[in-house]
Amino acid sequence: MNTGSPRFFSDLAKTVLVGNRTYTIWMLALIAVSMLGLNAFSRQLAHGLYTTGMGDEVSWGLYISNFAFLVGMAAAAVMMVIPAYVFKDEEIHKVVIFTELWAVAALIMCLLFVTADIGRPDRLWHMFPVIGVFNWPMSMLTWDVLVLNGYLFLNLYVCGYVLYKKYTGQKLVARHYVPIVFLAIAWAPLIHTITAFLFQGLGARPFWHSGLIAPRFLASAFSAGPAFIILVFKIMEHFKCCTIHEKVIAKIRVIVTVSLLVNLLLFGSELFTELYSGSEHSIHLSFLLGFHGESVLAPWIWSAVVLNIIAAIILLLPVRENPRFLNVACVMIVVGIWVEKGLGFVISGFIPTPLGDFVQYQPSLNELTVCFGIFAFGLLIYTALLKIAVPIINGQLCHRKNHN
Amino acid sequence: MSTEDQKNLGLKNEDQQEPVISRRYFLAGTACLSVATAVSLSPLLNAEEVPSGDDFIQKHYKELSDEEKKEIFARLEARIDKQYGVSTSISDPQPMDGVEFAYVLNLGRCIGCRKCVYACMKENNQSRSPQKQYIRVLKMKKGTINLETSSHDYPEKEASSEDFFYMPVSCQQCREPKCIEVCPVKATWKEKDGIVVVDYNWCIGCRYCEAACPYHARRFNFAKPQLPAEELNPDMGYLSNRPRYMGVMEKCTFCLHKTRRGEYPACMEVCPTGARKFGNIRDPESEVRKIIEQERVFVLKQEVGTLPKFYYTFAK
């Protein structure tokens, strides 16, 4: 048993490195896009954030948009963990680790997007406790650093523990990991709430300065995250990695539906408050929707609203049982929420500026390449983690078998 | 998962216990990956600004001893001499006791000529390409103070129009500055005389302060600041107008390298109409104090609770 650890890592490495043709092509493609992203990021480091489409007016762009979106995707894993551990749903319990691994991959992408966004990554150590200066508790950004890294650590621990024990064929000891799971359950909404607070605490930006932002963030995340997980499960089934029980998909679908409806309700409430009152603050929203001069964002946000509404209708009609319709609805939700949160929320907070200047934002090609690179790298990590986790959970990859 | 559910994820052979990977294949893959990484990183060779070892380990301004400051100033002076061929002396004037600076701007007199904008840029060694300006003059329709209908980039010939009034906005040097609260590393803070400063060597460039400022007063160096040597102002303060780095924030400092010596800020000196007044708000005899007490003044965006020390008035 105690020789498990060195074999464990070499077995994992072998499992990740060897696969069939589809797997190899997929991984090579992801590596290639990640490399393009690394190349673009190097260019950005060399010539500054001037290589992006950002400026003093719209000073946060796609990086922070993707960050906000992915924090939600990471937090959304909790919607699978709660039924598995709190309500003891056995079918979901079997596959819950795949969603926890997704949280790990999503968080890594979050941290990369933040790193890509800052002007001086060489000075990141200024934030480290003891050797740097950490403006805690005043700055919400320091809170975000704590909760994101904490959540990453909790998920890594739980996933690592479960996979290692299964690999070595040992029994899982509940008190060694279940308390951490429950801590992670409490922690998950926190990461997205604090990310929302980062924005909604700013009185300077009326568009963000609303108590509804954190609930909206959570609702949209709990819709887009599980929708993405449904798609992942479908893809895993398609490639015959494992079979996901239909009941699991049906339950996740309910979570997606309810969250989506809550999100639409909150969005509608915000829309009403801003537009009916017609106060000066509503200018961000009316500009976003295209009611106030030409807006690059308007077609995007309208598509997002339409995608979310159509998805909601599909999920409420009996056609939801049809896997094709369900897949389409899930794609619509992921795309719709990405647009709503990224372009619709982060970027429109900057238009107009606090001095009333309307400046449009268009990401540069270099900036887009960095984004694609980070997404590719995140998917690379997630695929590798699944490649390891599936055979271990299936009992195909284990310590004992290697010595047979 | 039940046994019939057991299917592998892309393993070559379902029954294969241990995936096989040849040494040659592995080494070739590692070599390819290393080359690809090196090629991807190659733009770094043309980096416009590479921090030196000393820059990298430099501590926060407030943690520096006098000795360390001396060393750092000498290092910067040598670097400026080398880069611009201009010999400079970097000063670090400290806040004076009993002094808190305030500004009053008479909108009744401002003609929107933007002389202050350019005087500020010259005085403070801002980047000329791309151009960074601390002061933004808003051309406002009469009968409203609605910022959203103001014009920011009106051509010069549209200055001093009778149908409009002009409102210059720069850092309001708030008593409750939101920008310093949000900074994750305390790279920006309020000095004893009320001036909000930035440590250009400590800022990590997250731009949270820029998002938190209700007055659009902060400027970020997205590109490496470009400044022709002949336009360099050699009278430099460490916390104000020394040349800035790429990827850091900067802002108006009430020209502290001048004002802490008893001079006026550049924007006020150049104003042709006398619309700008500057002084010590704690001195009952100062001009700003008298205006604030005798005229009807207001602050911009009072509702955001920042308590600016930059006052506006519509006097004759």
Side-chain angles (χ1 to χ4, degrees):
Chain A
M1 239 12 129
N2 52 5
T3 55
S5 139
R7 296 270 318 168
F8 179 60
F9 288 110
S10 68
D11 274 0
L12 296 195
K14 279 178 201 156
T15 312
V16 170
L17 288 175
V18 180
N20 65 15
R21 177 185 282 246
T22 318
Y23 174 78
T24 311
I25 292 173
W26 168 244
M27 292 301 261
L28 285 177
L30 289 179
I31 290 174
V33 180
S34 305
M35 285 292 168
L36 284 177
L38 183 66
N39 183 250
F41 180 57
S42 307
R43 212 168 297 128
Q44 179 185 306
L45 281 181
H47 305 289
L49 287 164
Y50 199 59
T51 53
T52 69
M54 293 184 277
D56 278 316
E57 281 76 24
V58 181
S59 50
W60 282 340
L62 271 191
Y63 295 153
I64 296 298
S65 302
N66 286 324
F67 163 77
F69 173 73
L70 285 166
V71 172
M73 295 300 267
V78 78
M79 293 316 271
M80 242 64 62
V81 180
I82 290 176
Y85 284 92
V86 180
F87 302 120
K88 314 270 184 225
D89 185 307
E90 282 188 16
E91 290 302 328
I92 291 187
H93 199 281
K94 281 177 193 163
V95 293
V96 70
I97 187 142
F98 302 145
T99 68
E100 289 167 319
L101 290 171
W102 166 246
V104 170
L107 281 167
I108 290 172
M109 286 189 267
C110 287
L111 297 176
L112 289 176
F113 270 116
V114 175
T115 311
D117 186 68
I118 69 171
R120 299 296 302 227
D122 56 309
R123 295 183 184 170
L124 263 181
W125 69 268
H126 292 183
M127 261 187 138
F128 295 165
V130 187
I131 56 167
V133 179
F134 200 56
N135 189 13
W136 187 84
M138 271 322 279
S139 170
M140 290 316 296
L141 208 54
T142 58
W143 282 85
D144 221 26
V145 168
L146 291 177
V147 294
L148 287 177
N149 284 295
Y151 192 62
L152 176 60
F153 175 77
L154 293 178
N155 277 292
L156 272 177
Y157 174 82
V158 171
C159 296
Y161 177 84
V162 171
L163 290 179
Y164 182 72
K165 288 287 166 182
K166 293 234 168 176
Y167 168 82
T168 54
Q170 291 168 318
K171 264 207 126 93
L172 296 175
V173 185
R175 70 189 154 87
H176 285 170
Y177 79 107
V178 174
I180 306 293
V181 171
F182 278 88
L183 184 59
I185 288 174
W187 204 286
L190 207 63
I191 65 168
H192 215 24
T193 307
I194 291 206
T195 306
F197 283 4
L198 203 87
F199 296 99
Q200 76 185 60
L202 301 181
R205 306 278 172 179
F207 188 65
W208 296 340
H209 191 49
S210 152
L212 266 190
I213 300 305
R216 262 183 75 192
F217 263 31
L218 288 172
S220 59
F222 292 163
S223 179
F228 178 76
I229 292 297
I230 289 182
L231 292 171
V232 170
F233 285 172
K234 295 278 184 173
I235 291 169
M236 284 166 76
E237 274 194 321
H238 179 78
F239 286 106
K240 305 198 175 12
C241 307
C242 55
T243 317
I244 307 287
H245 208 289
E246 259 176 41
K247 270 193 215 155
V248 172
I249 302 286
K251 272 180 187 154
I252 303 175
R253 196 186 63 213
V254 173
I255 295 169
V256 173
T257 311
V258 173
S259 306
L260 183 63
L261 293 176
V262 172
N263 186 45
L264 283 172
L265 169 72
L266 296 178
F267 181 65
S269 169
E270 197 121 69
L271 215 60
F272 169 78
T273 312
E274 296 278 307
L275 296 182
Y276 188 80
S277 73
S279 82
E280 253 182 61
H281 290 171
S282 66
I283 189 130
H284 292 272
L285 192 67
S286 53
F287 181 76
L288 169 65
L289 298 174
F291 301 156
H292 193 280
E294 197 173 327
S295 159
V296 178
L297 296 170
W300 288 88
I301 192 69
W302 281 112
S303 328
V305 172
V306 169
L307 286 175
N308 282 349
I309 290 176
I310 295 178
I313 293 171
I314 293 176
L315 290 176
L316 290 172
L317 293 175
V319 290
R320 62 177 179 254
E321 305 287 348
N322 181 328
R324 281 228 182 99
F325 276 93
L326 180 60
N327 292 349
V328 169
C330 286
V331 172
M332 284 176 159
I333 291 168
V334 174
V335 174
I337 303 266
W338 177 80
V339 173
E340 182 194 320
K341 237 169 181 166
L343 309 180
F345 176 75
V346 175
I347 293 164
S348 17
F350 290 102
I351 310 173
T353 69
L355 293 185
D357 197 9
F358 292 83
V359 176
Q360 309 263 10
Y361 160 79
Q362 292 269 19
S364 73
L365 185 61
N366 203 67
E367 190 178 4
L368 286 169
T369 313
V370 172
C371 294
F372 283 120
I374 294 175
F375 277 121
F377 186 70
L379 288 179
L380 182 77
I381 290 184
Y382 189 44
T383 315
L385 290 173
L386 287 180
K387 184 80 163 50
I388 297 162
V390 170
I392 291 182
I393 299 294
N394 277 349
Q396 288 167 317
L397 180 67
C398 62
H399 180 55
R400 226 175 311 119
K401 274 192 185 166
N402 290 325
H403 287 272
N404 274 349
Chain B
M1 220 161 280
S2 63
T3 40
E4 58 258 41
D5 290 342
Q6 293 182 6
K7 286 187 182 143
N8 56 6
L9 175 79
L11 291 179
K12 270 182 182 163
N13 182 332
E14 209 165 325
D15 299 314
Q16 202 172 348
Q17 298 297 316
E18 196 170 338
V20 183
I21 175 167
S22 80
R23 179 165 297 248
R24 190 200 276 175
Y25 169 76
F26 181 75
L27 289 177
T30 313
C32 284
L33 205 59
S34 313
V35 171
T37 310
V39 171
S40 300
L41 291 172
S42 63
L44 287 176
L45 294 172
N46 302 321
E48 291 186 44
E49 200 173 272
V50 181
S52 71
D54 289 322
D55 286 337
F56 181 70
I57 57 167
Q58 187 172 321
K59 290 185 287 186
H60 189 283
Y61 172 83
K62 288 189 181 176
E63 288 173 9
L64 296 172
S65 67
D66 289 345
E67 277 301 295
E68 288 168 319
K69 279 184 191 167
K70 235 185 198 170
E71 252 173 59
I72 291 164
F73 296 174
R75 196 167 75 220
L76 285 175
E77 284 162 7
R79 197 178 291 166
I80 293 164
D81 196 3
K82 200 176 145 209
Q83 191 184 340
Y84 298 95
V86 180
S87 85
T88 52
S89 105
I90 292 181
S91 64
D92 188 28
Q94 296 301 306
M96 292 177 279
D97 285 329
V99 174
E100 195 175 355
F101 291 120
Y103 216 116
V104 183
L105 202 152
N106 184 356
L107 295 172
R109 281 206 175 173
C110 177
I111 54 167
C113 65
R114 294 206 185 97
K115 285 202 161 56
C116 51
V117 175
Y118 295 102
C120 165
M121 195 170 72
K122 281 186 184 133
E123 176 64 37
N124 287 298
N125 289 322
Q126 273 116 297
S127 172
R128 306 296 201 269
S129 164
Q131 207 172 77
K132 290 284 159 195
Q133 301 170 349
Y134 292 164
I135 305 171
R136 187 165 280 217
V137 186
L138 314 187
K139 189 177 97 176
M140 315 272 284
K141 282 181 187 145
K142 278 188 174 164
T144 166
I145 314 187
N146 184 356
L147 301 175
E148 271 92 38
T149 56
S150 68
S151 164
H152 291 231
D153 46 6
Y154 60 91
E156 220 178 307
K157 62 177 189 326
E158 281 182 23
S160 65
S161 158
E162 282 297 318
D163 303 328
F164 297 90
F165 70 94
Y166 300 87
M167 184 159 81
V169 183
S170 52
C171 176
Q172 308 284 297
Q173 309 289 359
C174 309
R175 292 180 179 83
E176 295 288 342
K178 301 301 166 191
C179 50
I180 72 171
E181 279 176 18
V182 299
C183 177
V185 294
K186 296 191 183 177
T188 180
W189 65 90
K190 191 175 72 172
E191 295 260 286
K192 237 173 51 189
D193 53 4
I195 299 177
V196 176
V197 295
V198 179
D199 182 350
Y200 310 127
N201 282 70
W202 194 257
C203 171
I204 60 169
C206 69
R207 308 188 297 293
Y208 198 10
C209 57
E210 194 166 31
C213 174
Y215 306 101
H216 189 51
R218 291 182 161 251
R219 296 291 178 272
F220 185 73
N221 288 290
F222 288 89
K224 178 160 175 58
Q226 302 292 336
L227 177 60
E230 61 275 13
E231 290 182 36
L232 188 80
N233 172 13
D235 177 18
M236 286 179 195
Y238 185 77
L239 289 176
S240 58
N241 63 341
R242 64 176 164 120
R244 264 75 77 187
Y245 306 95
M246 184 167 81
V248 305
M249 197 57 74
E250 58 175 281
K251 62 180 287 299
C252 158
T253 60
F254 272 174
C255 286
L256 63 80
H257 53 282
K258 281 162 75 74
T259 50
R260 283 179 181 174
R261 294 195 300 240
E263 293 175 39
Y264 284 124
C267 50
M268 177 184 163
E269 281 178 333
V270 79
C271 179
T273 63
R276 291 171 169 270
K277 302 289 178 197
F278 177 85
N280 177 9
I281 200 174
R282 292 213 209 152
D283 174 4
E285 295 304 310
S286 71
E287 204 178 5
V288 281
R289 175 75 169 264
K290 281 188 177 152
I291 298 172
I292 291 165
E293 281 172 356
Q294 289 162 15
E295 297 286 342
R296 289 163 178 83
V297 297
F298 70 97
V299 294
L300 205 52
K301 300 198 183 192
Q302 191 171 357
E303 74 274 14
V304 290
T306 46
L307 308 178
K309 284 193 302 300
F310 198 109
Y311 298 87
Y312 291 93
T313 174
F314 283 100
K316 288 269 158 170

